[in-house]
Amino acid sequence: LIQTTNLMAQYSANYDESKVPPLILPDPFVSDKGTLIQNISDWENIRRPELLEIFRREVYGSIPKDFDFISFQIVSENQNPYPDEAELKEIDISVTRNGETHTMRLNLFLPKSQKSAAPIVLLINYKPADPAIGLVEEGFWPVKELIAKGFATASFHGETVAPDDPERFTEGVIGKLYPEELAKEDGMRTFGAWAWGAMRAMDYFETEPRIETKKSAIVGHSRAGKTALWTGVNDSRWAVVIPNESGCGGAAISRRKFGETVKIINTAFPYWFNENFKKYNDAENTLPIDQHMLAMLVAPRALYFSSAREDRWADPKGEYLSMKLGSRVYSEIYGKEVSFPLEFEKLEKPIIQHYAGYHIREGKHNLTLEDWDHFITFMELNFSQQE
Ligand code: GTR
């Protein structure tokens, strides 16, 4: 696993706010043909599909959804670390296409105390971990806390879908099920594969009577945060989308070039995004989109961004700006009362509201219990207000 600290030493990044270029961003509310987008119908029928296609083609690559069979097998390999509070279900999800089968592992904890179907929180994990249980680590995936609040929670490891490795990323679902994607400049790459995995997890939840999929949230940290955002944009079954400290290629505005840049990420991780994205190395201003427009594609479902003060590599201000600008879709198109009135420098408390939220906490790049406490508040608010 390539560590951020090594990358920071290897690549020189700008951390000086006075050197950030003046931001001239593409207009989210003017279509490619010049139509002014002012209502839900034009947004959903014209502009949103246009933007989604640009992000697929120029940045993330495809997420092919066709396959011949999917099956779910409950296996029993690991001991439940929380036997008093939760039931552990280990599920092998097998997908077959053109005679080839790929199997990924999903780990699901269901609250024992629950009487009705529980809301579900999926964490995409990428950290070194017990390959079977995912990362059951205090803070990063706080199963106990989530269960105590009545949530079901699940996790899968990216590695069981596509290895996080420049030499081996094709060894999972890409090479086995969708090999034709590899020849395409806009084909499926690692983030597309992980997003595909999250969709298959949702396919399983839809068969599980103890889960209420209408109340679902997808969470990811950092590289998995970028993936959680891309998943949430592509799969409207997720009601709440939470990319934590997702930085460059996630929440952060690329044109700021603060901390990690498009060139750095494409050089260090050439297998995460598609080939076309490399055209924008050192050429962010020529991007037809920026990341606030990706944020907009989650609407009218709920979106939450979070940052850490010392995580400058991920550009906290760029993450906040893209929430502030992206949330205009809720207020200006959907007519909801959503606003981020404060300047980044004035933020102290989390901004948690129906549809959109943001917090910045003290400390370093990580997913912590403090982050989860705010996510839980945001999820509870949004699930309780669902129409
Ligand atoms: C870094 C990478 C970041 C972020 C991070 C992580 O090395 O540059 O974009 O994804 O890894 O996933 O922790």
Side-chain angles (χ1 to χ4, degrees), residues 264-284:
I264 296 176
I265 205 165
N266 277 332
T267 309
F269 307 98
Y271 59 100
W272 280 359
F273 303 89
N274 71 19
E275 303 317 304
N276 285 336
F277 194 38
K278 299 180 176 73
K279 295 188 294 198
Y280 304 102
N281 290 353
D282 274 336
E284 287 86 348

Side-chain angles (χ1 to χ4, degrees), residues 71-124:
S71 65
F72 309 107
Q73 202 196 347
I74 310 298
V75 292
S76 184
E77 276 178 18
N78 288 278
Q79 242 191 320
N80 181 356
Y82 313 107
D84 295 338
E85 301 91 347
E87 183 187 320
L88 167 64
K89 267 195 177 180
E90 300 169 84
I91 303 127
D92 273 348
I93 304 179
S94 296
V95 179
T96 303
R97 181 178 185 252
N98 294 339
E100 294 284 337
T101 300
H102 180 78
T103 301
M104 62 178 279
R105 170 67 59 87
L106 180 70
N107 299 292
L108 167 65
F109 289 94
L110 293 155
K112 273 197 167 164
S113 60
Q114 102 199 30
K115 289 183 191 70
S116 53
I120 177 76
V121 182
L122 176 72
L123 174 72
I124 306 175

Side-chain angles (χ1 to χ4, degrees), residues 30-102:
V30 177
S31 80
D32 285 351
K33 288 195 179 135
T35 308
L36 197 57
I37 306 296
Q38 291 173 305
N39 55 54
I40 296 176
S41 165
D42 284 354
W43 171 255
E44 292 186 352
N45 298 311
I46 302 172
R47 189 55 170 157
R48 188 185 183 280
E50 218 169 69
L51 290 172
L52 182 60
E53 170 56 14
I54 299 174
F55 279 106
R56 184 202 66 78
R57 193 183 64 228
E58 301 299 315
V59 184
Y60 299 93
S62 304
I63 310 173
K65 291 178 193 93
D66 67 296
F67 49 76
D68 302 321
F69 310 107
I70 184 164
S71 65
F72 309 107
Q73 202 196 347
I74 310 298
V75 292
S76 184
E77 276 178 18
N78 288 278
Q79 242 191 320
N80 181 356
Y82 313 107
D84 295 338
E85 301 91 347
E87 183 187 320
L88 167 64
K89 267 195 177 180
E90 300 169 84
I91 303 127
D92 273 348
I93 304 179
S94 296
V95 179
T96 303
R97 181 178 185 252
N98 294 339
E100 294 284 337
T101 300
H102 180 78

